[in-house]
Structure formats: structure tokens, C-alpha cells
Amino acid sequence: MSTITIRLNNDEQKAFNEYAKLYNVPLSTLFKKSLEEKIEDEMDMKFIEEYEADVQNGAIELYEHNKVREMLGL
């Protein structure tokens, strides 16, 4: 396991510690969880942008609900 040092000013330290106390988690857990969520959000946005580009380029075919029912014989 490695150790990383993060420098915080007094206001940041107070705010982050209070937030960690609010959720009853160690500060290190709060930082790790926050970073994981940020990475996940950015990856989600990348996939959404790629999907929207594929739709725009016609690489993905979209169907209306009624068309899908018709295709399935429902």
C-alpha cells in the first residue's frame, strides 16, 4: 500500500474533515471515493459522447416503440 500526501490550507482541511465526519468515514476514504466517482462520471460522459456521435453519424439505428413491437410481432 502506498501513501500520498495532499497539502490543504486550513479552510480546506476544516471543510473536508467536517464532510468526512458528517458521513462517518475517514478522510482517506472520502478522497478515494470522491476520485473514483469523478473518474466514473468522466468515463460515462465519454461513452455518452461517443454514442451521440454514432447516432449523429448514422452508425446506430434507432426505432420507435411501435416499430419494435411490429418487428417483434407483438
Side-chain angles (χ1 to χ4, degrees):
M1 184 181 298
S2 63
T3 302
I4 297 173
T5 301
I6 300 174
R7 294 188 193 338
L8 304 172
N9 65 36
N10 289 337
D11 291 337
E12 291 168 335
Q13 181 180 2
K14 183 178 177 182
F16 294 152
N17 279 325
E18 289 299 317
Y19 192 79
K21 285 180 192 174
L22 179 66
Y23 290 98
N24 196 30
V25 296
L27 197 53
S28 62
T29 301
L30 175 69
F31 286 148
K32 288 187 286 188
K33 185 174 181 175
S34 297
L35 184 56
E36 287 172 359
E37 289 175 0
K38 172 102 173 115
I39 292 168
E40 185 177 295
D41 289 347
E42 288 182 5
M43 290 176 68
D44 288 346
M45 285 305 299
K46 180 183 175 220
F47 292 132
I48 289 169
E49 290 168 359
E50 289 173 359
Y51 167 78
E52 290 176 342
D54 286 343
V55 169
Q56 190 73 24
N57 296 334
I60 294 176
E61 193 168 348
L62 302 176
Y63 299 99
E64 296 287 331
H65 176 74
N66 290 333
K67 178 66 175 175
V68 173
R69 289 178 54 107
E70 178 185 314
M71 292 167 68
L72 295 173
L74 301 174

